[in-house]
Amino acid sequence: MAKITAVSPLAPKSFPALPVIRGVRFASIAAGVRYSGRTDVMLAHLAPGSTVAGVFTRSTTRSAPVLDCEAKIGRSGGEGAAIIVNSGNSNAFTGHHGVESVRAVTSGVADLLGLPAHRVFSSSTGVIGEPMKHERILASLPALKDMLREEAIEDAARAIMTTDTFAKGSAATVDIEGQTVQIAGIAKGSGMIEPDMGTMLVYIFTDADVDQPVLQSMISTLNRTTFNCITVDSDTSTSDTLLVGATGASGVRVAENSLGFMEALHRVMLDLAQQVVRDGEGATKLVEISVTGAASDADAHRHAKAIANSPLVKTAIAGEDPNWGRVVMAIGKSGAQADRDTLSIRFGDINVAENGWVSPAYDEARAAAYMKQQELAIHVDLALGGGTARVWTCDLTHGYININADYRS
Amino acid sequence: MAKITAVSPLAPKSFPALPVIRGVRFASIAAGVRYSGRTDVMLAHLAPGSTVAGVFTRSTTRSAPVLDCEAKIGRSGGEGAAIIVNSGNSNAFTGHHGVESVRAVTSGVADLLGLPAHRVFSSSTGVIGEPMKHERILASLPALKDMLREEAIEDAARAIMTTDTFAKGSAATVDIEGQTVQIAGIAKGSGMIEPDMGTMLVYIFTDADVDQPVLQSMISTLNRTTFNCITVDSDTSTSDTLLVGATGASGVRVAENSLGFMEALHRVMLDLAQQVVRDGEGATKLVEISVTGAASDADAHRHAKAIANSPLVKTAIAGEDPNWGRVVMAIGKSGAQADRDTLSIRFGDINVAENGWVSPAYDEARAAAYMKQQELAIHVDLALGGGTARVWTCDLTHGYININADYRS
């Protein structure tokens, strides 16, 4: 993919101040996996007693590190844990060599930190199908161990970037019966984004004390309304990974029914998901598509994704054209139930279409002015039932073509 | 959509010499529906005794003319028939006004030619959601009638163009027991192309004598391997229409099991379908995706469409990058069955990947040289079963963004 020169216009002003999560230490290094002049490996070490939960891409061609994580994620113990991530090479579709790379790297980290191998999780992101120079990662491990610090999460966020134009972080604080729990997370992702599960690479840490099955159940539920509701280009990565580690260092116990913790975790997950869309390749607009009145939630999601993935809708948004006819087209092709004569469409608070035609009060000039905004909302009501969905996407611009039509190098 | 200045580099050298189909006469005119300085309405009149069959978009927001055609298509009689088509306005999502436009235009043509209204089929293509100035079409009818000629099919092909950069025609001759039958067809389509049935607008005529149910069954079958196997941008039109008219003027009877006629009709349908892809908005490459060894034909089709619609695959092709990792990604996300470790990929006759990794003999320089060709073939074998599919697509370039990110005007 091409080198990125400019930061996305949708980027947050700066990387947020993330709280220290007691029990997690980070390090990152320039190992030279593929890039030069930048860090490309990050290591996170979680203290003994931590639990780790994860969701992963459902791609049938998922990468060797994803398959390894899936095999390990349910296995828990009193030991600590580690997460090692490299950018520059996704170690996907790399056959036996790929499996050996994962084994070498996770065993190396296990030896380094005195952990059992099944407590070391790895991710790789970058080019598909090229053998990974894992010996360069192995050579960097001693230095990484020496650098482990609780405060180094922002550098970790930078080390996992590929075509990302900004590092992504988010945090939340939650009070549980008078005690404070911290949550902090980082993410990467910019293109090949229509996660079919977790997403791109996302790592969230908390000092809460949560049993692994509870944590796993929480993130699987929250994933459905966060990472599974974003799309940049309808292409699903082979490497999508969300790992959440809970160290328990706060001493605050989080039970299955802790709505406060769930809400805080949801905020962090949604923030990171939206930051990924804000860094969509070539993006100049952030668009929320909400659908109500569908026959079911699944139908609503299908309509919303059809709109969010339509190249014609996305290019119209890029051109600041309130071309609502293309939204009608996308609803029509989605495969989900719709009745042309009951559906209505709103751009922001502007009624665009209702009862199977343009709204009587529709004012094209007002709609065109609205489209100049950087953040847009498209709302569709089908008047068929109670199904709802919300997804986030970006526009499709020359920038996307520039980034992806370049020869790999 | 933006004005097109250049003809697609994938266009045929010239419009083909189409044979006269005895029993069908054509006329076209500049009625000023939306465009100026070009023809925008075409009329085809089929002699008494003709049969007409059709397939239409399955979009739930399909246009008023499509709904009208669907209601009429099974009704047959000894009368003649007519097809009236305008470009510039799709008369889709236009509520009651749209229904009235269709009624006015088809009744007008029925009166003009002395036909029952149910034998007049109409199509409209262009902007969605704007009221159609059908009175301009009505005003043009007498002049259209005066101009009806058997030889005027090429002008008819031009009158139905929207963002098309060239007029599309195709013909075939078939001998049935020593007698000759002619088939000739025209099509339009360039963007919003992932037909979920017939396609865009396609009109095919033959002087064969075929019963309507036989003709209907033939085109429904052939449609599955022709128009339903092309995609430009994964967006399905509200107006896709394929109408086939058989005049019987040759006196040659075509039976249900006439393989010769089916083959000839298939050739014309496939040629027109591929011409639509050759005129894909911004296209510089025509790509055939073939999938074999899938668990079923449906699975093969799903894989092929996932590859053909992937923005990352399409931009890699635009960049002449043999980025086969993106093909692996698209297979992985398709939702159809795949085994990473048995799949193989070929670009032309170059083995790219096999057994879950890059082929041992893979030569990147050779693959890169191959990608410079204007017509490309990507072949995937899954080694799972006997399912096969072939689809055709084009690349995704700055041209597509230029055409579609412009404000409607």
Side-chain angles (χ1 to χ4, degrees), chain B residues 124-288:
Chain B
S124 297
T125 178
V127 175
I128 294 174
E130 294 188 4
M132 192 163 83
K133 294 168 179 150
H134 65 253
E135 62 285 356
R136 298 190 180 180
I137 300 176
L138 294 177
S140 304
L141 291 183
L144 277 166
K145 184 182 176 186
D146 289 343
M147 287 189 285
L148 283 166
R149 287 191 305 121
E150 279 188 328
E151 299 76 17
I153 190 168
E154 180 174 348
D155 288 340
R158 295 197 189 285
I160 62 176
M161 290 164 66
T162 56
T163 55
D164 305 64
T165 71
F166 61 90
K168 298 162 190 72
S170 182
T173 298
V174 54
D175 284 320
I176 296 179
E177 296 172 9
Q179 291 181 290
T180 300
V181 164
Q182 301 283 1
I183 303 172
I186 58 175
K188 66 82 49 179
S190 182
M192 204 177 278
I193 297 292
E194 186 182 13
D196 186 15
M197 50 63 14
T199 187
M200 35 284 100
L201 303 182
V202 184
Y203 307 96
I204 299 174
F205 305 94
T206 175
D207 53 10
D209 175 11
V210 202
D211 288 343
Q212 202 278 341
V214 171
L215 191 60
Q216 185 66 47
S217 159
M218 280 179 174
I219 67 170
S220 299
T221 300
L222 296 175
N223 176 58
R224 286 203 287 273
T225 54
T226 55
F227 296 111
N228 270 13
C229 289
I230 63 171
T231 180
V232 168
D233 54 9
S234 79
D235 275 342
T236 302
S237 164
T238 48
S239 306
D240 294 337
T241 293
L242 162 65
L243 286 171
V244 181
T247 64
S250 66
V252 182
R253 183 89 183 136
V254 166
E256 207 165 345
N257 53 3
S258 171
L259 283 183
F261 183 77
M262 285 275 278
E263 274 167 21
L265 188 56
H266 181 254
R267 262 202 319 277
V268 171
M269 287 170 68
L270 187 59
D271 185 16
L272 290 173
Q274 290 182 350
Q275 285 189 48
V276 170
V277 180
R278 284 177 179 280
D279 207 6
E281 287 172 340
T284 68
K285 308 268 187 190
L286 175 69
V287 190
E288 176 179 294

Side-chain angles (χ1 to χ4, degrees), chain A residues 1 58-64 67 92-99 127-131 191-194 196 233-238 281 303 306 309-313 315-316 318-326 328-341 343-345 353-358 362 364-365 367-368 396-408, chain B residues 1 58-64 67 92-99 127-131 191-194 196 233-238 281 303 306 309-313 315-316 318-326 328-341 343-345 353-358 362 364-365 367-368 396-408:
Chain A
M1 302 194 191
R58 287 191 293 217
S59 166
T60 55
T61 55
R62 52 199 182 275
S63 69
L67 292 168
F93 211 71
T94 43
H96 294 300
H97 185 281
V99 176
V127 175
I128 294 173
E130 293 190 6
M192 204 176 278
I193 298 290
E194 186 181 12
D196 185 17
D233 55 8
S234 80
D235 275 341
T236 303
S237 163
T238 48
E281 288 172 341
H303 282 304
N309 280 326
S310 159
L312 288 172
V313 171
T315 48
E320 303 187 331
D321 175 2
N323 194 331
W324 56 272
R326 295 183 182 176
V328 172
M329 174 280 299
I331 293 164
K333 76 163 182 169
S334 76
Q337 205 182 320
D339 181 340
R340 195 193 49 166
D341 295 332
L343 77 87
S344 59
I345 301 171
E354 53 195 302
N355 302 323
W357 202 19
V358 66
Y362 177 65
E364 173 98 359
L396 172 58
T397 68
H398 286 294
Y400 185 85
I401 310 282
N402 286 338
I403 294 165
N404 290 302
D406 259 28
Y407 203 95
R408 287 157 297 158
Chain B
M1 303 195 190
R58 288 191 292 218
S59 167
T60 56
T61 55
R62 52 198 181 275
S63 69
L67 292 167
F93 210 70
T94 44
H96 295 300
H97 185 283
V99 175
V127 175
I128 294 174
E130 294 188 4
M192 204 177 278
I193 297 292
E194 186 182 13
D196 186 15
D233 54 9
S234 79
D235 275 342
T236 302
S237 164
T238 48
E281 287 172 340
H303 282 303
N309 280 327
S310 159
L312 289 172
V313 170
T315 48
E320 304 187 329
D321 176 2
N323 195 329
W324 55 271
R326 295 184 181 175
V328 171
M329 174 282 298
I331 294 165
K333 76 163 180 168
S334 76
Q337 204 183 320
D339 181 339
R340 194 193 49 167
D341 294 332
L343 78 87
S344 59
I345 301 171
E354 54 195 301
N355 303 322
W357 203 17
V358 64
Y362 177 65
E364 173 97 359
L396 173 57
T397 68
H398 287 294
Y400 184 85
I401 311 282
N402 286 339
I403 293 166
N404 290 302
D406 258 29
Y407 202 93
R408 288 157 296 158

Side-chain angles (χ1 to χ4, degrees), chain A residues 19 49 85 118 123 135 144 204 206 220 232 257 306 312 321 335 372 409:
Chain A
V85 185
H118 74 266
S123 307
E135 63 285 356
L144 276 166
I204 299 174
T206 175
S220 298
V232 168
N257 53 4
L312 288 172
D321 175 2
K372 297 199 180 300
S409 65

